[in-house]
Structures are given as structure tokens and as C-alpha cells.
């Protein structure tokens, strides 16, 4: 289910599920008091740095740009909504991670190494992999640390959500929507049998995201007193 998150992990930003990069510059205790000027928010005392927030915001802006929606053409309200959505996703990611780490979920080093080898296999050679790490300003150990956190969250989500399946009716409804969209553009849709597997995965992804969204909403309500957003 959630394991497909690992595909292209080096290129991922917050746009992929509800999970984004969590602040690396955070720590317990006096983080909020001592480094408040460097933080955009804290979740149960653990900080999300302005540096990581700006990095994710830039990535989201680039994504909008690629979709033909340049941020410099947005009005003030739309920009504020974009900034809020980025911060919310980072808070949700940190909240999910903390919750998962407090559960009985455990990830063995061997599991991380296995996933790392899968990632490396997507590159021509070790040099290309090292170049990707350098481009993302990350060491292999830092990547493994982030992967372990991601795997912990994935396993936690799987334990809470369980197996998600698509019914024949849902797949047909997805196809009908796809067919109508293409026909309105005077394009010929693919036959149902040919794209049924892709439609099934799309339905499952949507249902997974809905379940994750519900879980995150519940966690936010339960932990709202532990979330502090700092003024810029």
C-alpha cells in the first residue's frame, strides 16, 4: 500500500501524500524559547525551522509554476492560503511522525538497507546516486534516517487504515469520469479493459488519502494544545 512512497524518494517534496520534510533543526526542551526567531512552528516542543519551511514553500511554488499557475500572479489571499497549506502539511507530518514513534512500531536496520538498495537501483551507478545526494544536500546516513522515519510513519498508517480496496462500481465510475472528460475535449478514451488496473490504483490512492486525512484531522484535534505557530 503505502510502500510506493519510496519511488523516487530523493525527488520528493511535500506535494506527495500528507507527508513532507520535517524540520531537522529541532530539539526538545528549550527549543521554542531559545530559537523562536528561527522557527515557524513547534509540535509538542519540537521545532519546524524557517529554513525547512522556506525550502518546502519554494518547492510548492515551483510545482504551481509547472502547472501554469505562477505564484507572482496570485492575489494576497491565494498566497496566504498557499503558505498556510505548506505549514499545515509540515505540522501534520511532524505530528504523524511523533505519534508513530510513540507507538509500538519498530523498523529494523535491515529493512532500511533493503529499501535503500531499491533506491540505488534506480540510478545508473553509485556516482549518479552520490550526485543526487549532493544535489539534495544530504548524506547517505541522513537519507537513511529520513527513510526510517518515513517507514515508521508508513507502518503506523497501515496499522491504522488497514487494507484498502476498490470495488468494481468505483472503478467503473472512475472510468466514466475519465471518458466524459476526454470526450468533452473531442479525444478518444482508452478502452476500459486496457486502463482498468491504473484506474483501480487511482481509486485506492484516493481512498487511502481520504483515510489518512481523517486520521490527521483526529490527531490535530487531540493535540491542538501542543501545536504553536510562531509569527514571522
Amino acid at each position: 500500500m503505502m510502500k510506493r512512497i519510496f519511488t523516487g524518494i530523493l525527488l520528493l517534496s511535500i506535494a506527495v501524500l500528507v507527508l513532507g520534510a520535517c524540520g531537522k533543526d529541532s530539539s526538545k526542551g528549550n527549543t521554542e524559547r531559545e530559537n523562536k526567531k528561527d522557527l515557524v512552528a513547534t509540535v509538542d516542543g519540537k521545532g519546524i525551522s524557517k529554513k525547512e519551511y522556506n525550502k518546502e514553500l519554494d518547492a510548492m511554488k515551483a510545482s504551481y509554476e509547472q502547472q501554469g499557475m505562477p505564484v507572482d500572479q496570485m492575489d494576497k489571499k491565494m498566497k496566504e492560503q498557499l503558505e498556510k497549506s505548506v505549514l499545515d502539511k509540515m505540522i501534520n507530518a511532524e505530528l504523524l511522525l511523533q505519534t508513530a514513534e510513540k507507538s509500538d512500531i519498530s523498523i529494523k536496520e535491515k529493512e532500511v538497507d533493503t529499501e535503500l538498495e531499491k533506491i540505488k537501483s534506480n540510478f545508473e551507478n553509485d556516482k549518479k546516486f552520490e550526485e543526487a545526494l549532493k544535489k539534495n544536500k544530504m548524506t547517505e546516513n541522513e537519507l537513511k534516517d529520513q527513510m526510517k522515519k518515513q517507514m515508521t510513519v508508513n507502518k503506523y498508517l497501515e496499522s491504522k487504515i488497514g487494507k484498502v480496496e476498490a470495488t468494481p462500481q468505483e472503478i467503473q465510475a472512475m472510468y466514466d469520469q475519465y471518458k466524459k472528460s476526454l470526450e468533452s475535449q473531442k479525444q478518444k478514451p482508452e478502452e476500459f479493459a486496457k486502463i482498468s488496473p491504473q484506474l483501480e490504483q487511482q481509486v485506492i490512492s484516493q481512498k487511502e488519502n481520504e483515510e489518512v486525512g481523517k486520521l490527521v484531522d483526529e490527531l490535530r484535534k487531540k493535540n491542538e494544545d501542543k501545536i504553536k505557530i510562531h509569527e514571522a
Side-chain angles (χ1 to χ4, degrees):
M1 187 173 74
M2 310 283 180
K3 291 182 179 178
R4 58 176 172 273
I5 292 172
F6 296 115
T7 304
I9 193 170
L10 287 171
L11 304 177
L12 289 184
S13 184
I14 55 171
V16 285
L17 299 173
V18 296
L19 297 170
C22 300
K24 295 179 184 177
D25 303 326
S26 57
S27 60
K28 285 282 185 179
N30 297 323
T31 298
E32 182 184 350
R33 179 168 58 83
E34 294 179 356
N35 301 316
K36 187 174 179 180
K37 68 181 189 308
D38 299 321
L39 303 175
V40 290
T42 52
V43 181
D44 196 17
K46 195 167 185 181
I48 296 175
S49 72
K50 288 182 179 179
K51 181 179 179 181
E52 287 298 321
Y53 167 74
N54 288 329
K55 180 181 177 182
E56 295 300 335
L57 182 60
D58 288 343
M60 184 63 83
K61 287 179 179 178
S63 177
Y64 271 67
E65 187 82 32
Q66 291 174 358
Q67 297 174 52
M69 296 181 287
V71 177
D72 58 8
Q73 293 181 20
M74 292 182 177
D75 59 30
K76 183 180 178 181
K77 186 176 180 181
M78 291 178 67
K79 289 180 180 178
E80 288 176 349
Q81 288 176 338
L82 173 62
E83 291 167 358
K84 183 179 183 302
S85 70
V86 170
L87 182 56
D88 277 340
K89 287 180 180 179
M90 295 184 77
I91 289 172
N92 292 344
E94 179 59 42
L95 187 56
L96 268 173
L97 177 60
Q98 289 186 22
T99 305
E101 289 180 337
K102 290 174 185 175
S103 69
D104 58 357
I105 301 295
S106 63
I107 303 295
K108 297 179 180 178
E109 193 71 21
K110 187 177 180 180
E111 293 178 83
V112 180
D113 290 337
T114 297
E115 292 299 332
L116 180 62
E117 288 305 312
K118 290 179 182 179
I119 291 173
K120 287 183 176 182
S121 69
N122 292 319
F123 294 87
E124 292 180 29
N125 49 51
D126 288 344
K127 184 179 179 181
K128 293 291 184 182
F129 172 69
E130 293 295 334
E131 289 174 356
L133 286 176
K134 187 175 181 180
K135 183 178 180 180
N136 286 271
K137 298 178 181 179
M138 182 181 288
T139 66
E140 185 170 313
N141 283 336
E142 287 173 338
L143 173 60
K144 288 179 67 175
D145 181 59
Q146 292 300 311
M147 286 173 60
K148 186 173 183 178
K149 290 177 180 179
Q150 181 74 76
M151 293 170 75
T152 301
V153 172
N154 289 353
K155 190 172 284 191
Y156 171 75
L157 290 174
E158 288 177 350
S159 71
K160 290 295 181 180
I161 294 172
K163 186 176 182 180
V164 177
E165 297 179 334
T167 66
Q169 293 82 3
E170 289 170 332
I171 299 171
Q172 182 64 53
M174 180 70 73
Y175 179 75
D176 292 342
Q177 184 180 357
Y178 153 79
K179 184 179 179 181
K180 184 178 180 180
S181 175
L182 261 67
E183 287 178 343
S184 68
Q185 301 174 47
K186 301 188 184 301
Q187 296 180 33
K188 185 179 179 180
E190 296 280 358
E191 293 183 6
F192 177 78
K194 186 175 181 179
I195 63 169
S196 179
Q198 295 96 307
L199 294 173
E200 180 180 9
Q201 286 304 312
Q202 192 171 342
V203 171
I204 290 173
S205 293
Q206 287 185 0
K207 293 175 77 172
E208 286 176 351
N209 288 338
E210 288 173 4
E211 291 301 315
V212 170
K214 291 177 186 177
L215 179 60
V216 169
D217 286 343
E218 290 176 7
L219 288 175
R220 285 292 290 253
K221 289 177 183 177
K222 290 179 181 178
N223 296 276
E224 206 59 51
D225 61 323
K226 298 177 182 178
I227 299 170
K228 300 186 186 308
I229 297 176
H230 305 303
E231 295 294 331

